[in-house]
Amino acid sequence: MIQLAGIQRTYTVGGRPVPALKELSLTIEAGDYVSIMGPSGSGKSTLMHLLGCLDRPTGGSYRFAGEETARMTEAGLSRLRRHQIGFVFQFFHLVPRLTAAGNVELPMVFAGILPAERRQRVWNALEKVGLTQRASHRPDQLSGGEQQRVAIARAVVMSPALLLADEPTGNLDSASGREIVNLIEGMNRQGLTLIVVTHDPRVGERARRRIHLRDGEVVADERAGSAIESPAAPGGQPSRA
Amino acid sequence: MKLADLLHFSAGGLRGHRLRSFLSLLGVAIGVASVVLLTSLGEGARLYVTGEFASLGSNLLIIIPGKTETKGLAPLVSTAPHDLTRQDAAALLQRVPAIRRVAPLAVGTASASAGERRREVTVVGATRDLLEIRHLQMASGRFLPRDASDAAVCVLGAKVQRELFPDQNPLGQLVRIGEWRFRVIGVIAPRGTSIGMDLDQVVEIPVATALRLFNRSGLFRILAEIGAQDDLRKTEQAALAVLRERHAGQEDVTIITQDAVLATFNQILGALTAALAGIAAISLGVAGLGIMNVMLVSVSERTREVGLLKAIGVTYGQVVAVFLVEAAILSTAGGSLGLVAGLGAGRFLQWLYPDFPVQPPPWAVAAALGVSCSVGLIFGILPARNAARLNPVQALMRRKA
Ligand SMILES: Nc1ncnc2c1ncn2[C@@H]1O[C@H](COP(=O)(O)OP(=O)(O)O)[C@@H](O)[C@H]1O
Ligand SMILES: [Mg+2]
């Protein structure tokens, strides 16, 4: 589903190039559950933004579902994000003036889906995250865990193939964090490809495939049970039930 | 994306900062209100003046002594123009078949008194035909005699009658005008101002008497009425020919026709209205800047929202549309408010000054709304493009503003 070959992303800071990702190659299968771990500044978010087509690499090739993204127009990338990719962020990014239902509805509003169908799908999405009771609450009336569940409902309401979560539990207490992880793992079991960025090992260890970054390079890439390639593998314990 | 959804989403964006939205909307409202009000006044002036001249009737020639045109070469020997006389008027009536009636006029001011009461009046020397030419109605008595006599009789305007004879029948009474005494033979029905002369404040006396009263040899002007069927231009030429012949070959009179006057005033006052609209439009431009400012603040406050929109697949064009529509809603709402306020203020002025027509020209109303909507669209372009061009990654990383 995802093929990265020799991906580079170099920022220019004060006239000097700062490489955030160096020659990164990676293939991710549809339906997989991948965590991306590493210290702060290792390039996790940069990779996430590239995968979500919010940013373009400065070098290398990124093929999504077989198609080269470098050749897509801005509008084509927007379509890709709209239909194929759902995002969950550390800071939820709900629109404060809209209710929970309004936030979940948003992607469909801009996709031109008719109101009657939107209502149905908002309800279904809120049901999946267990928030139908809170549908007409605004973000400031919801707890952090509830807000993140609204964000997840919004991310999946267009039935994407890929869910990208950047530190989804980073702003939550551990109980809410666990709920969120359980929720997206459940969606992964239904076939949704799941990529989670985290620096919390207890969250990252749960993934079937764990990729460790350091200074913009993959330093370990392991599968639950068997390490595929781990030049500097920190002893990871497969912990998924 | 459906238009209704776009409108709904954009309107929601405005509800997020009501006071700021309202204030910028007010700016547009003031601009539009001033356009509507000022053009109403300009248009009112135009309607008022043209209405005055239209009441002359389209079959009237006004003959004024002296040449006011400055066409062609100045004559080698410049001579004072000949007086315009009652004989000229009679000759026009006789020799130009299309001319049905003529009213030779002599005008001056004098003080008029009856008993203890006294006031300044405009004295108009005229003949019987003035009644028909100007469509005057008598309140009582009769108008001036038909013949060209210099009888010492007078006809009072309604207001003069009220002031000189507050509670008695003036018919048959004596009025002192200047040094002479005149017997009142009629009172004209109230009528109001017409071509700058308040007919209610006028005293009419026979034209021959007036010329002697004011010690003048020439008329103030001659009104000549032509048949409804007759050609105005040809008659004008024929009248000029008669007068030139009578004035030793000199063309020393000016003939004005209602349509010529109307055209000139229409032009002048139309330009005045346009100038007023232009001045008022400046305030619309200022209001546009206000909207632009509000939208720029709004975009920078909602940077994270824009980043989110991009993440969920909203296109460049849709982001532009969201903010353009927000600006257009602001300015159109302001425009509508301003239109209502402007029309209301016009009504109020109309109520204060019932005689003066305060009426916005239809084009101004349409333009005010159209322009206010475009003000939003034009001044919204910059903020909307700023929003759409935001880098989504950086927009999402921005901490709460
Ligand atoms: N917009 C940017 N401009 C310049 N440098 C950046 C930018 N974003 C990230 N970086 C740099 O790229 C590197 C990787 O950052 P990031 O992907 O955010 O790391 P992580 O998410 O793993 O903490 C860091 O050194 C960071 O300073
Ligand atoms: Mg990060």
Side-chain angles (χ1 to χ4, degrees):
Chain A
M1 174 184 215
I2 288 172
Q3 290 160 289
L4 301 180
I7 285 290
Q8 300 173 6
R9 180 65 172 94
T10 305
Y11 295 105
T12 310
V13 181
R16 280 184 322 175
V18 176
L21 292 177
K22 306 164 185 164
E23 296 279 339
L24 196 133
S25 297
L26 204 58
T27 302
I28 294 172
E29 301 302 330
D32 208 348
Y33 174 12
V34 182
S35 67
I36 297 174
M37 291 181 281
S40 182
S42 56
K44 305 184 297 291
S45 294
T46 302
L47 176 59
M48 206 61 147
H49 296 140
L50 289 177
L51 289 174
C53 298
L54 286 173
D55 191 14
R56 287 181 188 267
T58 43
S61 149
Y62 171 20
R63 298 166 83 84
F64 188 98
E67 213 181 327
E68 177 55 58
T69 58
R71 279 201 291 273
M72 292 188 193
T73 60
E74 279 305 314
L77 292 178
S78 288
R79 255 195 312 281
L80 189 68
R81 290 198 294 268
R82 173 182 294 173
H83 295 289
Q84 304 288 337
I85 301 171
F87 286 95
V88 176
F89 304 99
Q90 180 179 355
F91 295 102
F92 323 136
H93 281 302
L94 300 181
V95 178
R97 64 174 180 280
L98 298 178
T99 61
N103 271 286
V104 175
E105 189 184 22
L106 211 51
M108 296 189 287
V109 169
F110 284 90
I113 292 169
L114 294 177
E117 190 187 339
R118 295 206 302 250
R119 264 193 299 280
Q120 188 58 51
R121 283 167 67 171
V122 165
W123 186 261
N124 290 346
L126 284 175
E127 209 160 38
K128 271 190 215 166
V129 301
L131 274 182
T132 50
Q133 303 295 316
R134 317 284 274 163
S136 53
H137 287 64
R138 282 177 212 290
D140 57 7
Q141 300 166 312
L142 298 173
S143 71
E146 285 171 328
Q147 290 188 51
Q148 194 62 299
R149 274 145 72 190
V150 172
I152 291 169
R154 179 181 63 196
V156 299
V157 77
M158 292 292 290
S159 312
L162 172 65
L163 184 65
L164 299 173
D166 191 350
E167 307 273 11
T169 61
N171 228 21
L172 300 176
D173 61 77
S174 52
S176 308
R178 249 193 317 278
E179 275 178 46
I180 294 300
V181 170
N182 284 333
L183 191 60
I184 55 182
E185 284 179 355
M187 290 171 170
N188 169 252
R189 277 194 292 276
Q190 315 254 309
L192 181 66
T193 311
L194 178 59
I195 302 179
V196 181
V197 162
T198 182
H199 61 251
D200 181 352
R202 280 169 308 171
V203 174
E205 301 292 296
R206 296 170 66 89
R208 268 201 295 283
R209 180 179 178 187
R210 301 179 282 271
I211 297 172
H212 291 262
L213 293 185
R214 185 184 300 262
D215 296 331
E217 286 171 308
V218 175
V219 291
D221 186 344
E222 55 193 12
R223 285 223 159 253
S226 61
I228 296 170
E229 167 202 336
S230 48
Q237 203 93 68
S239 61
R240 197 164 171 280
Chain B
M1 181 178 204
K2 308 284 175 293
L3 181 63
D5 289 331
L6 179 62
L7 287 172
H8 184 254
F9 185 76
S10 295
L14 291 172
R15 273 198 293 275
H17 41 88
R18 287 164 201 263
L19 180 62
R20 208 189 319 140
S21 302
F22 177 73
L23 289 176
S24 68
L25 176 157
L26 208 57
V28 179
I30 291 169
V32 167
S34 51
V35 169
V36 169
L37 192 59
L38 288 180
T39 54
S40 293
L41 292 177
E43 181 72 357
R46 195 181 66 80
L47 288 177
Y48 180 74
V49 170
T50 55
E52 288 297 304
F53 281 90
S55 71
L56 285 177
S58 58
N59 52 349
L60 205 64
L61 300 180
I62 303 169
I63 300 150
I64 303 177
K67 193 74 191 154
T68 55
E69 266 174 340
T70 51
K71 271 190 247 160
L73 292 168
L76 241 59
V77 181
S78 169
T79 52
H82 293 78
D83 281 336
L84 201 54
T85 61
R86 283 185 292 144
Q87 288 71 32
D88 288 335
L92 286 175
L93 186 59
Q94 252 175 33
R95 294 176 48 191
V96 182
I99 292 180
R100 303 280 175 80
R101 296 191 177 94
V102 291
L105 298 180
V107 176
T109 54
S111 76
S113 56
E116 299 291 284
R117 302 174 190 279
R118 159 188 292 273
R119 59 160 295 165
E120 284 295 309
V121 294
T122 304
V123 177
V124 175
T127 60
R128 169 81 204 208
D129 278 345
L130 185 67
L131 185 73
E132 276 91 21
I133 290 179
R134 300 305 324 275
H135 310 288
L136 303 178
Q137 302 287 322
M138 299 306 294
S140 63
R142 56 202 166 75
F143 199 63
L144 299 171
R146 187 169 294 282
D147 59 60
S149 75
D150 56 355
V153 294
C154 69
V155 174
L156 303 182
K159 194 166 179 199
V160 178
Q161 181 258 313
R162 270 202 311 280
E163 288 180 12
L164 293 184
F165 302 97
D167 29 43
Q168 41 173 317
N169 183 356
L171 293 185
Q173 305 279 347
L174 286 178
V175 175
R176 188 174 195 89
I177 300 172
E179 297 300 305
W180 299 2
R181 295 195 302 170
F182 293 78
R183 192 166 297 281
V184 177
I185 57 170
V187 177
I188 299 175
R191 174 180 161 113
T193 307
S194 172
I195 36 171
M197 202 186 272
D198 185 351
L199 289 173
D200 293 347
Q201 310 210 41
V202 153
V203 172
E204 269 120 349
I205 60 176
V207 63
T209 316
L211 288 174
R212 284 208 289 125
L213 180 68
F214 297 121
N215 193 22
R216 297 223 181 100
S217 52
L219 295 172
F220 174 64
R221 63 188 52 171
I222 297 174
L223 304 183
E225 183 187 289
I226 71 170
Q229 260 51 260
D230 294 299
D231 184 279
L232 200 65
R233 292 276 154 266
K234 280 190 189 139
T235 313
E236 189 182 331
Q237 290 310 312
L240 267 181
V242 168
L243 292 174
R244 195 185 305 121
E245 186 192 312
R246 290 182 52 82
H247 294 181
Q250 256 188 302
E251 193 169 310
D252 56 2
V253 298
T254 303
I255 299 191
I256 337 180
T257 54
Q258 179 215 42
D259 56 347
V261 174
L262 279 183
T264 308
F265 272 102
N266 263 326
Q267 213 176 336
I268 294 171
L269 293 168
L272 175 72
T273 305
L276 289 176
I279 292 166
I282 293 172
S283 65
L284 261 182
V286 173
L289 289 177
I291 286 203
M292 178 148 86
N293 186 35
V294 160
M295 292 306 301
L296 284 173
V297 171
S298 179
V299 167
S300 82
E301 275 183 4
R302 282 154 67 192
T303 300
R304 282 155 49 91
E305 178 182 327
V306 173
L308 183 269
L309 289 179
K310 293 202 152 183
I312 63 171
V314 174
T315 62
Y316 181 94
Q318 285 177 322
V319 175
V320 169
V322 162
F323 286 96
L324 270 191
V325 167
E326 262 190 53
I329 290 175
L330 265 186
S331 65
T332 311
S336 312
L337 185 67
L339 185 61
V340 171
L343 293 177
R347 281 279 171 80
F348 180 67
L349 281 180
Q350 182 74 88
W351 177 76
L352 283 181
Y353 306 101
D355 285 344
F356 187 79
V358 184
Q359 199 183 74
W363 61 262
V365 173
L369 284 182
V371 165
S372 65
C373 181
S374 357
V375 158
L377 289 176
I378 291 167
F379 287 89
I381 287 175
L382 180 72
R385 285 199 354 180
N386 281 0
R389 282 179 177 176
L390 282 173
N391 175 315
V393 172
Q394 283 166 15
L396 284 166
M397 295 212 300
R398 178 86 75 85
R399 302 306 301 258
K400 281 202 170 84

